Amino acid sequence: MEKNKEIARIFEKMADMLEFLGDNPYRINTYRRVAEVLSELGEDVEELLQTGKIRRIHGIGESSVEKILEYLRTGKIVAYEELKKKVPEDLLELLEVPGLGVKTLRLAYDRLKVRSKEDFIRAVKSGQLAFLPGMGEKKIQNILRGLELWEKSKERMTLLEAYELGRSILKHFEDVRELYENIQLAGSLRRRKETVGDIDLLVSAKKESWARLHNHFVNYPGVKEVLLHGETKSSVVTQEGRQVDFRTVEPNQWGSALQYFTGSKEHNVRVRDIARALGLKISEYGVFRVDTGEWVGGRTEEEVYQLIGMDWIPPEIRENAGEIELATAKKLPRLVELKDIKGDFHMHSNWSDGLHSLEEMVQACYELGYQYMVIGDHSQASRVANGLDPNRYREQFKLIHKLREYYEPKGFYILRGCEVDILPDGTLDLPEDLLEEFDFVVASIHSRFNQDNTYRILKAMESPFVNLIGHPTGKAYGTREGYPIDMEKIIKTAKETGTALELNTYRADLSPEQIRRCMEEGVTIAIVTDAHSVKHLPYMELGVGLARRGWAVPELVLNTRDIWGIREFVDKKRNLMLSGGKFA
Ligand code: DGT
Ligand code: CA
Ligand code: CA
Ligand code: ZN
């Protein structure tokens, strides 16, 4: 699917370039649609060419097909090469900056003689931008803020991006399965850190295969530049500018190498110190006796930890934050695992701002092997997200009712839900009599972040019908800062009212520290994908990783309960709140 991505990227760029040149909007939209179709396409364009089906892709017209064919045959699209001569490509890269559009770039080009990315950044920082028509102080501040965030986000990938890239590289290695014994992504990606600097890939194999493995690695189709092509270590940079490090080790070094390259550095330093006190030396090559230099183990990670008197430690908590002491005392808690997860509580269909139909979302959840799912389309106040009014929710209930007839006999339960907006004064965007009809309610803040957000959330939790607070802090993967809130108060009230707090896989909100506080206080969290397409549903695996980073235990993760446990959770809150009681 690498080719799909490459070609989609070119069409996307051509659309930007045409827009910059003030070309016909119809043509611009056509190119954008081609890019979208190509990235969503389930099949490889190269295969479609071979099977002759390429001319029948829905949504791609004749002249675009010709360009795709041209690229597959020659590796180039002449129309694109021509456009490159007319526009400063480098300047258009700035379109990734939040809050910056073609119009502003074009104005800066015409009036301020801005020709490159650097020119533009200089123009913003020196205040020259203020000379452009329609450029107020507030707009300039926004662009400055956007530039800062963009520069920061360029340095590190979000966990989502790293996960996708990692999966694609693992897939590339399936072609040479006979050459190695073990393969794994290590480093911060394995630890499920919210942002990832570079990807670390580790393989164990017999020495005679190493050269071929390194060749295969540098020939990964997404590579833009090979930084190092060695015998044991290679490094490349991808088209997106991301670095991937690759190492090969002998099969009996697997455990010690995996332990070493998983990190974190702080964890490894402690582990090494403890080993030294026991007369042992741990390196990526194995565990050795210091006095004789004799190799004593390192085939598996379990073996490495066991040799220094510890239980195996889950990668997500290897941060030297108390895990080493507990592993030595053999008292590590059992963390939640993907296999414990029985359902997802927050997702959107094309009734609001999702890409897929309700039917498609339901079928996809069923195929994941879940016991239940909550459909949670936006409520009316979320206009941009095409939120539902009470009548449309009731329409949706009818459809769900019909779907249940098919799915319930199979043991799969569709819960009627919503993601109701918490309004600026803390009231909810839907009437009580409707809220009562839902099986499960998620309530979130989506606008007016300058209000007292702690108060808004506390008030929402007092509703007997609100079961989960969506993305509590409003932050997203280090790219979007949250609104200020008093998390301690929210945790306390969640406990008192029997409301769960959401760990949103799409945003990494809550943070590991906040999850840990929930665990300490006995507050239940729910891991949700907030899927806007069936493609996002499997990110549950990442959500579980993020939860584990916060030391989440199955007892306090709502998704580990079965359908009857969920109904009990909902009923318990309703009964208690309606009778004026409080939770223990
Ligand atoms: P990143 O890539 O910045 O998100 O973070 P990591 O943790 O993936 O770091 P990276 O890629 O530099 O190195 C991968 C692992 O290799 C790291 O987690 C621990 C190990 N490692 C790297 N350099 C050192 C070092 O100087 N000392 C020790 N003890 N371990 C190291
Ligand atoms: Ca790394
Ligand atoms: Ca690295
Ligand atoms: Zn939301």
Side-chain angles (χ1 to χ4, degrees):
M1 306 287 271
E2 267 311 309
K3 279 276 183 293
N4 295 29
K5 247 167 66 187
E6 266 171 54
I7 304 173
R9 203 181 295 124
I10 293 177
F11 273 90
E12 192 57 59
K13 278 192 180 169
M14 286 200 289
D16 290 343
M17 290 165 155
L18 288 172
E19 197 177 349
F20 186 80
L21 293 172
D23 202 273
N24 170 358
Y26 176 78
R27 189 144 70 125
I28 298 167
N29 281 337
T30 303
Y31 284 3
R32 291 241 157 85
R33 201 170 56 240
V34 171
E36 203 183 318
V37 170
L38 280 174
S39 1
E40 294 290 328
L41 200 64
E43 294 148 292
D44 198 322
V45 278
E46 280 183 299
E47 266 166 44
L48 291 175
L49 173 65
Q50 261 138 40
T51 54
K53 287 190 191 143
I54 197 153
R55 291 184 186 280
R56 274 178 269 155
I57 308 174
H58 191 72
I60 300 188
E62 187 58 32
S63 79
S64 300
V65 168
E66 288 308 324
K67 292 190 179 67
I68 296 172
L69 289 176
E70 183 188 351
Y71 187 79
L72 292 175
R73 290 199 196 104
T74 67
K76 266 204 310 216
I77 295 175
V78 172
Y80 176 49
E81 301 302 318
E82 290 300 320
L83 278 172
K84 278 200 218 169
K85 290 180 200 154
K86 293 188 208 152
V87 296
E89 224 191 333
D90 166 74
L91 180 64
L92 292 193
E93 230 181 82
L94 289 173
L95 288 174
E96 291 170 12
V97 176
L100 197 52
V102 173
K103 236 170 94 190
T104 306
L105 291 180
R106 181 73 216 201
L107 274 172
Y109 180 89
D110 288 338
R111 312 238 175 147
L112 303 174
K113 302 279 166 274
V114 159
R115 290 293 174 270
S116 68
K117 202 162 54 190
E118 278 66 41
D119 284 356
F120 185 83
I121 293 172
R122 222 174 296 125
V124 182
K125 293 194 172 154
S126 68
Q128 272 193 69
L129 222 55
F131 296 111
L132 295 181
M135 260 304 153
E137 182 57 28
K138 203 166 161 209
K139 217 164 160 192
I140 294 177
Q141 284 309 322
N142 267 341
I143 292 176
L144 267 170
R145 218 37 232 108
L147 271 174
E148 255 170 55
L149 281 173
W150 179 71
E151 279 169 354
K152 235 171 76 194
S153 75
K154 282 229 115 154
E155 286 162 27
R156 298 178 68 82
M157 310 167 238
T158 66
L159 180 60
L160 286 176
E161 183 187 351
Y163 179 76
E164 289 293 350
L165 177 55
R167 283 218 308 202
S168 160
I169 297 168
L170 286 180
K171 193 136 187 290
H172 175 63
F173 273 87
E174 281 172 14
D175 302 343
V176 289
R177 186 62 199 87
E178 69 288 356
L179 291 184
Y180 56 86
E181 257 185 32
N182 288 299
I183 186 162
Q184 246 201 76
L185 298 159
S188 50
L189 172 55
R190 183 169 182 234
R191 301 199 314 279
R192 299 298 193 229
K193 210 174 147 184
E194 210 180 294
T195 64
V196 171
D198 65 10
I199 305 247
D200 303 282
L201 178 68
L202 186 68
V203 154
S204 71
K206 292 209 187 74
K207 252 201 173 105
E208 63 254 32
S209 310
W210 290 8
R212 282 161 71 197
L213 284 163
H214 283 271
N215 273 330
H216 190 71
F217 173 67
V218 299
N219 282 312
Y220 169 65
V223 167
K224 186 169 79 183
E225 193 190 344
V226 178
L227 300 176
L228 176 76
H229 183 175
E231 298 270 291
T232 58
K233 182 180 173 182
S234 293
S235 273
V236 298
V237 177
T238 66
Q239 301 290 352
E240 294 84 11
R242 302 308 186 187
Q243 186 171 331
V244 187
D245 293 343
F246 175 56
R247 311 256 180 168
T248 44
V249 297
E250 301 257 19
N252 70 356
Q253 297 170 333
W254 173 248
S256 47
L258 184 59
Q259 197 282 331
Y260 181 89
F261 291 113
T262 296
S264 68
K265 209 164 151 184
E266 292 71 22
H267 172 90
N268 284 358
V269 168
R270 267 301 292 289
V271 163
R272 249 140 273 250
D273 283 347
I274 290 169
R276 211 163 305 120
L278 295 168
L280 295 170
K281 177 176 176 285
I282 299 182
S283 74
E284 57 265 56
Y285 308 111
V287 185
F288 304 89
R289 280 181 56 167
V290 173
D291 50 0
T292 61
E294 180 197 355
W295 180 88
V296 290
R299 278 170 293 241
T300 63
E301 278 194 336
E302 284 80 359
E303 194 173 79
V304 174
Y305 283 107
Q306 189 224 319
L307 280 166
I308 51 172
M310 293 181 203
D311 279 343
W312 177 82
I313 300 176
E316 295 91 342
I317 60 169
R318 295 185 195 169
E319 300 290 342
N320 191 24
E323 77 281 7
I324 291 176
E325 292 75 6
L326 285 171
T328 309
K330 315 228 182 271
K331 283 194 178 135
L332 277 176
R334 176 170 104 69
L335 305 181
V336 63
E337 293 171 53
L338 185 59
K339 67 171 167 51
D340 299 325
I341 299 296
K342 297 190 172 68
D344 194 341
F345 299 96
H346 183 170
M347 68 188 72
H348 302 269
S349 75
N350 63 8
W351 282 66
S352 62
D353 61 346
L355 183 69
H356 289 107
S357 67
L358 180 54
E359 292 89 331
E360 287 168 314
M361 295 305 279
V362 168
Q363 177 61 22
C365 285
Y366 173 69
E367 283 171 18
L368 283 173
Y370 290 155
Q371 190 195 19
Y372 55 85
M373 63 178 289
V374 180
I375 187 72
D377 277 312
H378 287 285
S379 65
Q380 51 204 5
S382 283
R383 291 243 172 108
V384 283
N386 191 26
L388 278 62
D389 63 18
N391 287 332
R392 288 186 68 220
Y393 279 115
R394 292 205 164 92
E395 277 304 305
Q396 200 180 48
F397 288 173
K398 288 187 203 152
L399 174 59
I400 293 174
H401 186 77
K402 234 176 69 198
L403 292 170
R404 282 177 171 174
E405 284 172 14
Y406 175 77
Y407 286 98
E408 277 197 15
K410 298 171 182 289
F412 181 67
Y413 298 83
I414 308 162
L415 301 186
R416 292 171 305 187
C418 62
E419 184 183 14
V420 60
D421 262 52
I422 302 175
L423 300 173
D425 64 356
T427 57
L428 300 168
D429 185 31
L430 294 172
E432 285 241 316
D433 63 325
L434 177 61
L435 287 172
E436 193 170 357
E437 281 186 58
F438 289 108
D439 301 304
F440 193 93
V441 171
V442 183
S444 317
I445 294 181
H446 285 122
S447 63
R448 307 281 291 277
F449 303 131
N450 56 353
Q451 305 290 308
D452 181 347
N453 297 310
T454 305
Y455 173 79
R456 293 167 82 182
I457 291 176
L458 297 187
K459 183 132 193 262
M461 286 197 279
E462 308 228 305
S463 160
F465 308 112
V466 168
N467 307 112
L468 180 63
I469 297 298
H471 41 80
T473 75
K475 93 175 179 39
Y477 276 115
T479 55
R480 192 193 302 174
E481 290 168 335
Y483 35 76
I485 46 160
D486 184 338
M487 202 57 195
E488 285 303 311
K489 270 194 192 156
I490 290 173
I491 287 175
K492 188 165 157 271
T493 307
K495 170 96 182 177
E496 284 169 2
T497 57
T499 315
L501 299 181
E502 177 181 278
L503 166 54
N504 187 308
T505 301
Y506 212 62
R507 299 159 166 253
D509 178 15
L510 307 163
S511 72
E513 295 72 30
Q514 291 166 336
I515 296 166
R516 236 177 139 169
R517 284 294 298 136
C518 289
M519 296 300 117
E520 284 161 5
E521 297 300 320
V523 166
T524 301
I525 64 164
I527 308 172
V528 313
T529 58
D530 195 357
H532 284 70
S533 124
V534 297
K535 259 196 186 166
H536 303 149
L537 289 167
Y539 289 155
M540 182 59 79
E541 184 188 1
L542 279 183
V544 169
L546 289 166
R548 287 161 66 85
R549 258 183 98 68
W551 293 61
V553 294
E555 301 74 44
L556 292 174
V557 174
L558 196 59
N559 324 47
T560 66
R561 304 191 191 189
D562 61 19
I563 180 71
W564 299 279
I566 301 304
R567 289 191 177 138
E568 196 190 318
F569 181 83
V570 170
D571 289 344
K572 200 169 162 195
K573 174 166 184 182
R574 288 188 179 197
N575 293 336
L576 260 152
M577 300 300 283
L578 290 171
S579 65
K582 284 230 160 176
F583 271 70

